[in-house]
Amino acid sequence: MINEQLIDPQSIVVVGASNNLQKPGGKILHNILECYRGDIYVVNTNQGFVQGVKSYPTVHDLPKEVDLAVIAVAAKYCPSLVKSLIQEKNTTAFIIISAGFSEENAQGAQYEKEVVEAVEAINGCLIGPNCIGIINVNHHSIFTQPIPMLDPAGADFISGSGATAVFILETGVGLGLKFNSIFSVGNSAQIGVEDVLAYLDETFDPDKSSRIKLLYIESITNPDKLLHHANSLVHKGCKIAAIKSGTSEAGMRASQSHTGAMASPDTAVDALFKKAGIVRCHGRLELATVAAVFMAKELKGDNMAVITHAGGPAVMLTDSLSQGGIKIPPIEGPRAELLRSKLHHGSSVGNPIDFLATGTAEQLGEIIDACEKDFDHIDAMAVIFGSPGLFPVREVYEVLHQKMRTCQKPIYPILPSVVNADDDIKYFLSKGNVNFPDEVMLGHALSKVHNSIQPAKESIQMKGVDVPAIRALISGFEEGYLPPQQIQKLFSAAGIPMLKEIFIKDTDELAKHIPDVPYPCVMKVVGPIHKSDVGGVSLNINSSLLLEKEFHRLMAIEDAKGVIIQPMLQGTELFIGAKYEQDFGHVMLCGLGGIFVEVLKDVSSGLAPLSEEEALGMIDNLKGKQILRGVRGQEGINIVEFADIIVRLSTMLRFAVEIKELDINPLIGNENGIMGVDARVRIEKEVK
Amino acid sequence: MINEQLIDPQSIVVVGASNNLQKPGGKILHNILECYRGDIYVVNTNQGFVQGVKSYPTVHDLPKEVDLAVIAVAAKYCPSLVKSLIQEKNTTAFIIISAGFSEENAQGAQYEKEVVEAVEAINGCLIGPNCIGIINVNHHSIFTQPIPMLDPAGADFISGSGATAVFILETGVGLGLKFNSIFSVGNSAQIGVEDVLAYLDETFDPDKSSRIKLLYIESITNPDKLLHHANSLVHKGCKIAAIKSGTSEAGMRASQSHTGAMASPDTAVDALFKKAGIVRCHGRLELATVAAVFMAKELKGDNMAVITHAGGPAVMLTDSLSQGGIKIPPIEGPRAELLRSKLHHGSSVGNPIDFLATGTAEQLGEIIDACEKDFDHIDAMAVIFGSPGLFPVREVYEVLHQKMRTCQKPIYPILPSVVNADDDIKYFLSKGNVNFPDEVMLGHALSKVHNSIQPAKESIQMKGVDVPAIRALISGFEEGYLPPQQIQKLFSAAGIPMLKEIFIKDTDELAKHIPDVPYPCVMKVVGPIHKSDVGGVSLNINSSLLLEKEFHRLMAIEDAKGVIIQPMLQGTELFIGAKYEQDFGHVMLCGLGGIFVEVLKDVSSGLAPLSEEEALGMIDNLKGKQILRGVRGQEGINIVEFADIIVRLSTMLRFAVEIKELDINPLIGNENGIMGVDARVRIEKEVK
């Protein structure tokens, strides 16, 4: 795992270094030489000196021990190289940039395995193979460019793909994004994105560590680890944005249950990110823009002043912010009038504050000062200032730069003239600022960050869920769909209220139970999975005559093993579902039942175990939530009780990974309470 | 209106030209001098020569007649200047870049009015005032930069804001966007965005004219003109993208009707754009990206090959395209294997086609050729190729450039390395290509263009709607909400089926009608606007006894003027609404009734008059559309009949602008037919 030798090595050897800067082994040595201050060695069979550094023909010939080895030779040489370095040079950190390992074929996978075993044996650290390397303040062991400006307040960026990391850097650099460190994990043979994040969490120092983390992830191999450390970092005051690509790869899986059809593997990623407090992005420009938002002071409140010298971008920004729920409130009164008097005739201060094409640097200073000190209801400023190409705008950008440092309120600069004011924008960025060249991208990213959910607390709400009883029940169950009586017992142990039902399998039992039947009642066939499709549900039975008739009809259905009788309830149909997603655990869904789940797919998701807060948040996200509060003369439901049931179920599932799919559909809710009416639970026991 | 003298002047005078290039009057002369080949004059009171051009102290002193005057002097001098130029120099085209007109104060508005009147009197042409000018192949009468590369196949760009035009140009130039002409209309004193578009439509030459139009609009003053000419251009094969900013300005208006509350003024813009076939954009970068998509060959079909040398961007592009409904279908079979054999070991051709970080220009050529010729099910290609900074990629971009010219299928280049391959990308753009630096922005823009709706035909479907009868009825109606009997007559003239109802205002009438009452029936109070809120609706009345009892209850409600009795229908509740939007005409809404309209706001919009195709498209856009087809054992409705009713209503409204708001809520539909049950119609007669 990550060690001091990787992060701050006293000595580095580059194995396979070259004089050719068009080769990775040449470029990486070049990049290391540019700023590294420790001892550097080179191993190269052919050369006396490589880029001015004395070269040794083999690692055996190296004169001293070496902390970190950066390896750029063919895969087949790597296992023996790594072993020699470990045994002879006490090397404990390795970055292997070469390809030809597990990503290529079985032979490569074997090389990779040997390397990992050797490194693990000494509790060492391996980055890669098949990666571009790492950058931090101590060394630039990376073979690509650009090498961004490093800044302790910049982002720690971890990428599952080297090329994508490069492209994200290029996008970020254009916006003025700063970085503190970059880790490209390649094949993640030993260390994946989650492991680097864990390291950043475990070594987090509130005085020194960066508070911005960016992730590019292609596959999440350890969701629990990612969740735990992301959550922990966010609770420590960090901001995390991540791309998880491959949302469309698996598509929707065919499944017997509603939940199965609605919860794609990507729903689990969404639910995990939400729970962890990670802002999910879907493209490089979006990630870089969100990261640039992170670099500003935090937006506390949702009232923005839009300051501009041109109408159009201010209107588009206002549109975009309003859509994201950020307000551009009126600015008026004597102080607004005072400000107006300092601006050119024709300026407006109502918000947007438009100080016209002829607006000056001094006036911008006055406006920002007024927003900072005089307009208490303003929480942040966006400043739009471009150039038609007539005269330089450096003076304006200088004022903006100064005010961004002295003001308490965040200021978001929108400098759109990437052609006309190219030099001035570069100057502005060189002072450590970011720029949002497109106001609508800013509006979108800022809304996204502002509306992102607080991470959940990492505790399980037991609520009296009887875990030993649940474990005992599940041990006794067979695989497949549980029969109704078993579901009743299971749910009872978790405190999930289910409608009382009478199970009847023949006419004798029917005769025996006739006195207990509550009218009006519902009778449902037991056996077939899709009861409705085979006409297996009979509603509103209000006499023993009808009861007997319907019993015989239902028992004649193919696969009928009996019927259940339930009282017929009035209320709103609800739905709860859960699906086990390999490694992630259970994705929970909730919604209104009936057409809301079947036609409108109006469901919210979360990752078990859920807190009451999370469950209430899920319910609040439903488009049909107003119906739960009561509408059109129809009474509402007890929302807190609905949340409570979701939480209990999620707690039960956390201790019952054998449950792969679960639907309660419908539950019937009214103001008095909520009762599950019908449920389906599928169990698989093989260890996965 | 726009004339030849504006577009291709034989002579230009710049009034207020200066030697100072930091002043508009200096820069505009400079820009004109750079490429204009006709006669140029300067009027400037102080200078003998300005930028090398002989200067005359007044327009009176000009030696010859002048076609076009570009004016950059204070507003107060403009009226007399324009008059002198008209009278003495036969000038018929004017571009006034000066500010200080109607945008500033009443005095300025007076100057503007005088100028317009003088120009109109000779049927001349005025661009501005308060604009940045115009650019076309003949002259660059604009005072801003950049001056983009002009290209007959580039975009015609019309902007309602000068500064925004500059910022859009700067964004576009970065993507390699070409322009054919740029019009900045400033205050639109005589010529607005719609008028320039009309000119482009009326002078459209299929052999010579550009097929790409871009608009930035802050207010639509003549929606009919915009609709007509945009629609006409799209039917001629043009592609139009537009920003209409200010979506949030007015917000939702308070209103009595559902439609009023749901249809914001911006809904009218959306509906207009849809009808015209305009792709609506909301930001500069989005507009420029959509315009760059327009510059590629047209995407016919929806199957894309993603060709890449790096995994990450290919996956993100696939995600983004899939979300937009564009498929990335598998590529397999012997020809796929043949292609694979030409690539480096480890490459994949399954789609995405990944030819690895070490992939060569030659291999890219092979891949593109295979997609063009061998893989018939592939309609287009996206090629992703960046650089980690090791070696130049010009050879690859050269192949890409060549193939983009020779292939029939469109190719979208994604060159993400805006830092590492900056020079090579600039070289690629200089050859006349565009670039999409962010694959997700491309995916979004391409989906948007691909999913944009064909423009509607510009004809009114009469369907036997009796216009004379409707006009006669409306002439006789009073203002305000129409009583039920009048609604019945109005709808009957339009062929809108309404449930038969009996209006009863006292006990005598009730007694008289008792034999005709259809049971079960519904009784509703007449008088109060919100019947349900006052308990004014009684359902399921199945006897004359109950009928009489409910009659007395309803008549006791405040403002009750009587009741209506209708048969009680079974079926699906539907909703149709319309709202008159100043200048746009009627925005129509449709949807399912009940909670769908009240809670879920699941409505579609269109602009009257609607064709059957448009109405069916609106219905198809509803989230709940599946319910209309029948679901959960509930029968569906006759969708064609629903569309027919929407069309009839829209036709009626086109001839009844006095109807400001109209709701039919609910209509009840089943497989046999659709009947309106309750309707509200509000009339205003004052001429607006």
Side-chain angles (χ1 to χ4, degrees), chain B residues 570-640:
Chain B
Q570 294 294 326
T572 302
E573 287 188 27
L574 304 170
F575 163 82
I576 302 176
K579 184 179 162 209
Y580 184 78
E581 199 59 57
Q582 189 61 39
D583 301 323
F584 284 76
H586 289 94
V587 178
M588 306 276 306
L589 300 181
C590 76
L592 287 104
I595 53 153
F596 282 89
V597 58
E598 284 170 26
V599 176
L600 301 171
K601 316 288 182 212
D602 178 22
V603 293
S604 288
S605 63
L607 197 63
L610 294 164
S611 67
E612 210 155 274
E613 222 171 14
E614 286 176 278
L616 286 169
M618 284 167 66
I619 296 169
D620 196 54
N621 265 337
L622 293 169
K623 293 192 195 73
K625 62 182 167 186
Q626 210 182 312
I627 292 167
L628 301 181
R629 302 202 192 103
V631 71
R632 289 193 117 206
Q634 190 91 34
E635 66 182 271
I637 67 150
N638 185 330
I639 290 176
V640 172

Side-chain angles (χ1 to χ4, degrees), chain A residues 588-607:
Chain A
M588 307 277 306
L589 300 181
C590 75
L592 285 104
I595 53 154
F596 283 90
V597 59
E598 285 168 27
V599 176
L600 301 173
K601 315 290 182 209
D602 179 22
V603 294
S604 289
S605 62
L607 198 62

